[in-house]
Each structure stands twice: as structure tokens, then as C-alpha cells.
Amino acid sequence: MGRAFEYRKARKLKRWGNMARTFTKLGKEIEIAVKAAGPDPGGNTRLRVLIQNAKAANMPKENVERAIKRAVSKDTADYKEMVYEGYAPFGIAMIIETATDNSTRTVANVRSYFNKAGGSLGTTGSVDFMFDHKCVFKITKVEGIDLDELELELIDCGVDEVFADENEIVIYGSFEAYGKIQKYIEDHNYELISGEFERIPLDTKEVTDEQRASIEKLIEKFEEDDDVTNVFHNMKELETDDAE
């Protein structure tokens, strides 16, 4: 198994732990997708995947419909996706992805969280080079499927890793390959569970238990902010049990 598999095994999708926060994140992403390409999932590839993500997260259908209606309403503020880079204490690199209708508020909050924890907000590109920006799709495992054959077929679409995980197949590819991979999945009638973007650290840093506790407090602070959609870092994750 490759680096993407090990990264995912360690994280175990921690950021999906809080249901209310997950719904807020998905609602904003749906609004952004609708404003970009319209409210019809048939003609909006990103929206189609986000609706599947919402279903996988057990987000009620009415929440999805409300997010779509908000996006087409002229009275609704536009959300912009902003990415911030910086360092947590002990030299841990962090990338904070946000969706905000007030970038002045958001950057002030992000800077404040860094400063209070003894870290610092950096400039664009200051830590981005330390991460691979990937897309990741999950499809339902099909009986008798040959993963090696599937991976060979998907290489031309920009895929670099395919593996089975519990009852699903996980497909990792380059950030730019998102559309091609989605099209392949739909054209071959695989059951799509979800499609997301992740930033995988090229290398991870060991920390002590005390340092980890301090950094995790900062991560929690970011994740509690309604403007924040994702937090990525290069701190070495504690191994988790597959049954977790």
C-alpha cells in the first residue's frame, strides 16, 4: 500500500466526526457549486458528487435542498473559498481551507488562532509545497472486481493509487484529474459514495505527547470556526485501530 493509504488509515476521516459541522461544511460547498454551474445536478458534475457526499454523511435531503435554494436566491451572500497557510507550534505546517462570505473576518480569526497558540500565519506558498493536493473518490466494492486491472484502466485518468478499504474502493488521483475520474466512475456505472479533495503531507514530523496535545487544541480551534472547511497538517498521526 502507498502513502495515500497510510495517510487515510491514520486520519480515519476525523473531520467528519461532528455532524452539525459536517452539514455546515457540505451546505457551503453545495452553495458554491450551484453558484458556479447551476442547480441542476444533471449538468453540474461537482454538485452531483456533493449530493452523494451529503448522502454518505447522512445529511437530510431537506438540508441539501435548502442549500441549493439559498444558492439561487439573490439575497444570499456569495461564499468564496480561501486557503491560508502557516505554522503551528513546534514547526508543524498547516493548511486551512475556508468558505467565507467575509474574508476580512476569516483571516483575522485564522491569524488570531495561530498567534494565541504560538504559531504564525504565513504567506501563500509558504507551506503548500510540503503537501500533495489530491482528489479521492470512494465507490462501493463490486464482487469479483480486479483492483490491479481497475488501477491500470484509471492511470490514463490521472489516478495513482487504488485500494480496497472495508466495503468500499478508494481511488486517489491528482487534483487536476477530478473531472476525468468522476466521468470514468459514472460512465462505468460504479456506485459513487463520495468525492473529495485532500492535501497529503510529503513528509510528517514526530512530536511528543505534550506537543501533540497543544497542536490538537489549535486544530480543534480551527475546526470549531464555521468558516473553516478543512484543516491539513504534517504532524505524524497516531496509528488508529481499523475497527475504530
Side-chain angles (χ1 to χ4, degrees):
M1 294 294 181
R3 188 163 49 85
F5 172 80
E6 293 303 326
Y7 168 82
R8 184 173 186 272
K9 182 182 175 186
R11 281 178 67 88
K12 270 299 183 187
L13 301 180
K14 287 180 184 176
R15 65 187 181 284
W16 294 95
N18 184 301
M19 192 171 286
R21 204 177 303 145
T22 299
F23 293 172
T24 300
K25 162 186 153 63
L26 284 167
K28 286 185 179 181
E29 290 184 338
I30 288 168
E31 287 187 48
I32 290 167
V34 170
K35 284 183 180 289
D40 177 16
N44 187 333
T45 56
R46 178 66 180 145
L47 180 59
R48 281 204 300 278
V49 175
L50 286 169
I51 289 172
Q52 284 302 119
N53 289 358
K55 186 177 176 183
N58 296 316
M59 183 173 176
K61 188 178 178 183
E62 49 269 32
N63 290 37
V64 174
E65 290 169 351
R66 275 200 301 272
I68 293 172
K69 284 178 183 175
R70 280 198 304 270
V72 297
S73 167
K74 290 181 181 177
D75 299 327
T76 306
D78 285 344
Y79 284 111
K80 291 182 180 177
E81 292 179 297
M82 308 289 291
V83 179
Y84 301 99
E85 303 172 40
Y87 282 95
F90 318 110
I92 297 299
M94 297 186 75
I95 296 181
I96 315 300
E97 294 180 344
T98 70
T100 178
D101 58 357
N102 185 332
S103 58
T104 303
R105 175 193 68 222
T106 305
V107 70
N109 286 345
V110 169
R111 182 180 288 109
S112 170
Y113 302 147
F114 272 124
N115 290 346
K116 287 178 180 175
S120 61
L121 177 63
T123 55
T124 301
S126 57
V127 304
D128 182 68
F129 67 93
M130 300 181 189
F131 296 80
D132 264 344
H133 204 181
K134 297 286 188 183
C135 63
V136 53
F137 288 88
K138 291 191 287 183
I139 60 175
T140 301
K141 194 183 289 183
V142 180
E143 191 71 35
I145 192 168
D146 187 323
L147 291 183
D148 291 334
E149 192 175 308
L150 177 64
E151 188 166 353
L152 280 173
E153 284 189 32
L154 281 165
I155 283 173
D156 289 340
C157 296
V159 165
D160 49 36
E161 193 168 348
V162 176
F163 56 85
D165 185 14
E166 297 168 355
N167 296 317
E168 61 200 27
I169 294 169
V170 185
I171 301 166
Y172 272 88
S174 66
F175 174 79
E176 297 79 11
Y178 187 95
K180 283 185 179 179
I181 299 171
Q182 180 182 346
K183 187 175 187 305
Y184 180 94
I185 290 169
E186 292 179 344
D187 287 351
H188 289 77
N189 297 316
Y190 288 112
E191 185 181 347
L192 178 66
I193 298 170
S194 65
E196 297 181 88
F197 296 103
E198 287 187 356
R199 296 178 191 265
I200 302 176
L202 296 170
D203 198 17
T204 54
K205 286 191 72 170
E206 293 271 7
V207 292
T208 66
D209 290 345
E210 190 177 339
Q211 290 170 341
R212 181 181 300 279
S214 173
I215 294 162
E216 286 182 346
K217 277 184 184 177
L218 175 58
I219 293 169
E220 284 174 18
K221 197 71 181 171
F222 281 123
E223 290 183 337
E224 285 168 2
D225 191 307
D226 285 342
D227 291 341
V228 173
T229 53
N230 283 305
V231 179
F232 299 101
H233 58 80
N234 69 345
M235 176 174 65
K236 186 173 177 62
E237 297 276 9
L238 289 171
E239 288 297 320
T240 56
D241 197 334
D242 279 349
E244 188 181 44

